Amino acid sequence: MNICVFGIGYVGLSASICLAKLGHNIICIDKDFKKINNLKNGVIPIFEPKIKELIKENKDKLTFETSLDKNLQNIDIYIIAVGTPTKDNGEVDVKSIYEVIDTIINNATKNSIIINKSTVPIGFNNKLQDYINTKTSLKLDVISNPEFLRQGSAIDDFLNPERIILGYNSDFALKKVLEMYKPMQLKEEQIITTDLNSSEMIKYASNSFLALKISFINEISKLCEKTNANIEQVKKGLMSDSRIGKKFLNCGIGYGGSCFPKDTKALVNIAKNHNIELKTIKSAIEANEAQIDYFLQKILSFYKENISNKTFALLGLAFKPNTNDLREAPSIKLINKLATLGANIIAYDPKARYDKVKQLNNIAQIFDNADCLIIATEWDEFKDIDIKLFKKLKDKVIFDGRNIFKNRNLEEYGLKYFCVGKNE
Ligand code: UDX
């Protein structure tokens, strides 16, 4: 099939590459000239495992453009994957989607379908369909197909999805989208069809529920510290109950990224517009914001509220491992708070770059003049670090925001170790 993908961010790029791998011809469109030019020259705008290799393998099936040219005809499917940021007033900004739709309407030459992967307020795709129907006599049917891939495992998630949600109100559109996914040989139970509104709700509800789980475990971990319980043991007990599940129960310094913070706030706002107060989600947001302050307070208590001129070695900038993305990263919030209190910070991250902090490319060197260590992201590389390096820390103290050294006997090295949810 000839597929045109609009918006070459994480979702758009991963989807394009995977669909090319499945045998389709993909035209990737993004108005960011620099990004497209780089992609044409094999320069990938993000760090994401497997992307580079897959682009190389499928380069004959991938075309990168900044606009939908009249020459690019005969499109079977259009996919929208543009950003839908949250505005200051909490509303979802859908402007970019309308821009794409107008482009499609102005260029389409035959009946086809529009798959919307962008996260949109509940009811939006129905409105979009009405808008399209008033502007063209062609049949351009909208499918809501929210994306659940995670950064750091985007390719594997796209190619091996636990489920594909297809919100639709046209059999023609459903048939076409199933044809597109056919090479994935999905089992029947992996495909969930719904109406458009329910599909949109599934995306917001999924992300909000996961955010809720993280805030829940973070709050329980705080209480573990006060009651001398151990969050790792508590977690084991919780996870053995299949109703609770084994995933998204890692406590830490809070969730970040491009989805959870944005989507939870958007859902609260959508509910507010319907006179519903989503108390659980509101609390999850609040708890997440408080978590970084809680962790900071551990550091301040150790230093008796005075960290001015202390030098902190910091491991991990990205909001999670295996990505170079800094959006809403808890590390950045922590760095800003530490810097305001007069601390010096020397950071190391395998892939992420943050220009407002001193950063070294050699992990061992950040220990040279450091008083203490903070761990903000759980990259595998950090788990394998030579513990002897910690001896260089002048104050012999480690604040582990991701509990990666919880099972190492750091006291043996004369180190004081603080993690989350467990008293040492
Ligand atoms: C998320 C959703 O998982 C994905 O389905 C959706 O498409 C986009 O948003 P992503 O933001 O890439 O994916 O990462 P995810 O692995 O979900 O982690 C989000 C944040 O939660 C990270 O900051 C991570 O560190 C934090 N997290 C995750 C925890 O603090 N504890 C956990 O147990 C899991």
Side-chain angles (χ1 to χ4, degrees):
M1 290 175 127
N2 294 323
I3 300 171
C4 184
V5 179
F6 290 88
I8 306 303
Y10 271 96
V11 170
L13 185 59
S14 308
S16 300
I17 295 167
C18 292
L19 289 168
K21 184 178 159 57
L22 295 177
H24 301 300
N25 295 312
I26 315 294
I27 301 160
C28 307
I29 300 191
D30 197 295
K31 57 185 181 186
D32 182 338
F33 177 80
K34 197 172 154 209
K35 187 192 277 183
I36 290 300
N37 211 29
N38 277 339
L39 281 162
K40 277 185 180 174
N41 294 310
V43 180
I44 321 296
I46 50 171
F47 170 76
E48 179 65 39
K50 301 190 180 176
I51 277 201
K52 214 172 174 176
E53 299 84 323
L54 274 184
I55 289 191
K56 225 171 164 187
E57 271 170 39
N58 296 288
K59 65 176 189 313
D60 297 346
K61 293 194 221 94
L62 289 161
T63 313
F64 298 100
E65 299 291 347
T66 49
S67 65
L68 184 59
D69 198 270
K70 284 274 181 211
N71 300 327
L72 310 173
Q73 302 299 356
N74 210 19
I75 304 292
D76 298 301
I77 292 182
Y78 300 92
I79 297 181
I80 303 178
V82 293
T84 47
T86 307
K87 295 195 243 179
D88 289 343
N89 64 2
E91 269 175 37
V92 181
D93 190 347
V94 291
K95 183 175 84 238
S96 300
I97 297 190
Y98 278 109
E99 278 173 25
V100 169
I101 288 296
D102 287 337
T103 307
I104 296 172
I105 290 169
N106 291 335
N107 289 276
T109 50
K110 63 174 192 177
N111 294 342
S112 74
I113 67 164
I114 299 173
I115 300 176
N116 190 5
K117 282 195 171 287
S118 300
T119 304
V120 291
I122 297 104
F124 177 81
N125 281 309
N126 267 314
K127 267 196 228 154
L128 196 64
Q129 187 69 70
D130 291 344
Y131 176 83
I132 294 167
N133 294 347
T134 58
K135 296 258 169 177
T136 176
S137 54
L138 285 175
K139 193 172 169 60
L140 295 173
D141 289 347
V142 176
I143 281 264
S144 163
N145 176 208
E147 187 50 65
F148 297 98
L149 61 79
R150 292 160 300 171
Q151 289 178 224
S153 52
I155 298 298
D156 287 340
D157 285 351
F158 190 96
L159 291 172
N160 308 295
E162 282 188 326
R163 83 295 206 194
I164 287 188
I165 306 292
L166 300 175
Y168 76 107
N169 54 20
S170 133
D171 290 337
F172 162 74
L174 182 63
K175 202 168 149 241
K176 274 234 173 227
V177 71
L178 288 174
E179 209 183 309
M180 179 183 89
Y181 282 125
K182 201 166 176 212
M184 282 167 76
Q185 295 181 314
L186 296 165
K187 296 193 193 94
E188 211 175 298
E189 61 268 25
Q190 281 172 284
I191 297 169
I192 298 173
T193 55
T194 69
D195 55 66
L196 288 172
N197 289 16
S198 303
S199 166
E200 294 155 353
M201 179 64 94
I202 289 169
K203 172 70 184 186
Y204 278 116
S206 298
N207 277 350
S208 296
F209 186 75
L210 294 171
L212 200 64
K213 268 186 110 171
I214 299 168
S215 281
F216 171 81
I217 203 70
N218 281 338
E219 290 209 304
I220 295 297
S221 75
K222 282 198 224 178
L223 194 54
C224 281
E225 289 177 16
K226 299 287 178 218
T227 54
N228 268 329
N230 178 335
I231 192 66
E232 297 304 329
Q233 295 178 18
V234 171
K235 233 171 74 182
K236 215 168 158 191
L238 287 172
M239 288 182 341
S240 62
D241 185 332
S242 62
R243 292 170 303 175
I244 295 174
K246 295 193 189 310
K247 295 182 182 163
F248 277 72
L249 287 173
N250 292 322
C251 59
I253 51 174
Y255 59 76
S258 61
C259 287
F260 290 176
K262 170 175 86 74
D263 292 350
T264 44
K265 285 177 196 147
L267 191 60
V268 165
N269 191 63
I270 290 166
K272 198 171 131 212
N273 293 338
H274 292 278
N275 295 321
I276 302 271
E277 190 188 5
L278 290 184
K279 292 185 184 176
T280 50
I281 313 300
K282 272 171 103 171
S283 301
I285 296 168
E286 241 176 76
N288 194 55
E289 280 158 9
Q291 192 65 13
I292 203 76
D293 290 325
Y294 183 75
F295 187 69
L296 177 66
Q297 201 47 54
K298 271 178 201 273
I299 301 171
L300 292 178
S301 301
F302 178 83
Y303 282 114
K304 308 214 166 20
E305 308 294 321
N306 185 3
I307 54 166
S308 64
N309 299 322
K310 284 283 169 195
T311 298
F312 288 78
L314 186 133
L315 287 178
L317 293 168
F319 83 93
K320 64 180 278 193
N322 297 319
T323 178
N324 60 351
D325 199 334
L326 291 176
R327 281 177 290 177
E328 301 278 341
S331 64
I332 304 301
K333 291 181 197 156
L334 188 61
I335 287 172
N336 292 339
K337 286 175 193 262
L338 291 168
T340 309
L341 295 168
N344 306 313
I345 297 126
I346 302 169
Y348 171 82
D349 189 285
K351 295 291 172 192
R353 297 290 167 261
Y354 180 49
D355 55 15
K356 294 203 180 99
V357 77
K358 183 169 179 200
Q359 208 175 332
L360 300 178
N361 291 328
N362 180 328
I363 190 167
Q365 280 173 1
I366 67 162
F367 293 91
D368 285 348
N369 293 306
D371 293 300
C372 69
L373 173 69
I374 295 177
I375 292 125
T377 317
E378 66 278 31
W379 283 91
D380 279 346
E381 185 182 335
F382 304 161
K383 296 176 188 162
D384 301 331
I385 200 167
D386 180 0
I387 301 279
K388 287 195 208 87
L389 281 170
F390 295 168
K391 283 189 177 171
K392 289 186 170 183
L393 299 168
K394 288 182 206 147
D395 295 336
K396 305 278 177 274
V397 60
I398 295 174
F399 301 97
D400 183 352
R402 298 291 180 183
N403 289 5
I404 61 174
F405 296 117
K406 60 180 183 291
N407 296 326
R408 309 287 281 271
N409 223 339
L410 296 176
E411 290 76 15
E412 271 181 19
Y413 295 81
L415 293 156
K416 186 105 186 87
Y417 176 68
F418 295 91
C419 61
V420 184
K422 187 178 151 202
N423 281 328
E424 288 306 309

